[in-house]
Amino acid sequence: MKRSRQRRLHIMRRGLWYSLALCLVIMLFGGAGFWILEPRVATLQDGLWLAFTTAATVGYGDVVPHTQAGRIFAALMVLLGLSVLSLVTASLAAIFVEQEVENEVVAGERQIEHELMREIRALRAQVQGLQDRMDASLTTPDKPQNQQVRS
């Protein structure tokens, strides 16, 4: 059971890395797209900055798209940015929730283990009591045993 929890946590962490990698690819794609589409974006760094501020919906206003194609591309970047940043946030939240749930499950398992051990001790005491009574009844029989007479 512990192994399956570790596996799920590993998958979630890998999901976080996939989400971050997707975010990086989208930012690079957006930076190159703005650099190609917008005449006022002179360098790739300016395109990356515009892609970041657009995807993060910050919009500082220092660099803005002016062409129709640039504005359509900016709308696409906003949608992609919100989607990918939501994935990253969800992956982080899943990791934290999984750790919290795991701690609660471990505490619950310990409680169940203590209760089972208490029940086992009680059953052992009952079995020992029954065994003691059987031993006592075999050593001191209540009724005389019938002896068979041989003819």
Side-chain angles (χ1 to χ4, degrees):
M1 185 176 288
K2 185 177 183 180
R3 185 177 201 120
S4 67
R5 279 189 227 127
Q6 289 175 343
R7 189 174 193 173
R8 280 190 306 223
L9 189 60
H10 175 71
I11 289 170
M12 284 188 292
R13 285 183 180 155
R14 191 170 12 154
L16 174 64
W17 287 112
Y18 288 150
S19 299
L20 289 172
L22 182 62
C23 185
L24 180 65
V25 167
I26 288 175
M27 290 300 119
L28 290 172
F29 168 72
F34 280 124
W35 184 38
I36 293 168
L37 292 174
E38 281 297 315
R40 294 186 183 180
V41 175
T43 63
L44 179 59
Q45 289 84 4
D46 288 341
L48 289 170
W49 178 249
L50 181 57
F52 174 74
T53 58
T54 302
T57 65
V58 175
Y60 290 117
D62 53 349
V63 183
V64 294
H66 293 291
T67 64
Q68 193 65 23
R71 289 179 180 155
I72 292 171
F73 191 73
L76 176 68
M77 282 301 299
V78 166
L79 294 175
L80 286 173
L82 289 174
S83 301
V84 171
L85 292 176
S86 297
L87 283 174
V88 171
T89 304
S91 296
L92 282 171
I95 289 171
F96 290 129
V97 167
E98 175 69 19
Q99 289 174 348
E100 183 69 28
V101 167
E102 183 176 328
N103 291 340
E104 289 177 8
V105 167
V106 168
E109 287 175 353
R110 285 185 184 148
Q111 178 66 27
I112 290 170
E113 184 178 331
H114 287 301
E115 289 174 9
L116 285 173
M117 292 305 290
R118 188 172 39 244
E119 289 289 326
I120 288 172
R121 283 192 292 275
L123 288 172
R124 281 184 180 167
Q126 285 179 350
V127 167
Q128 186 62 44
L130 290 173
Q131 189 174 11
D132 291 344
R133 281 200 287 174
M134 283 186 62
D135 289 344
S137 69
L138 289 176
T139 57
T140 56
D142 293 338
K143 299 178 184 177
Q145 295 180 353
N146 293 337
Q147 297 180 353
Q148 294 180 348
V149 176
R150 291 186 191 174
S151 345

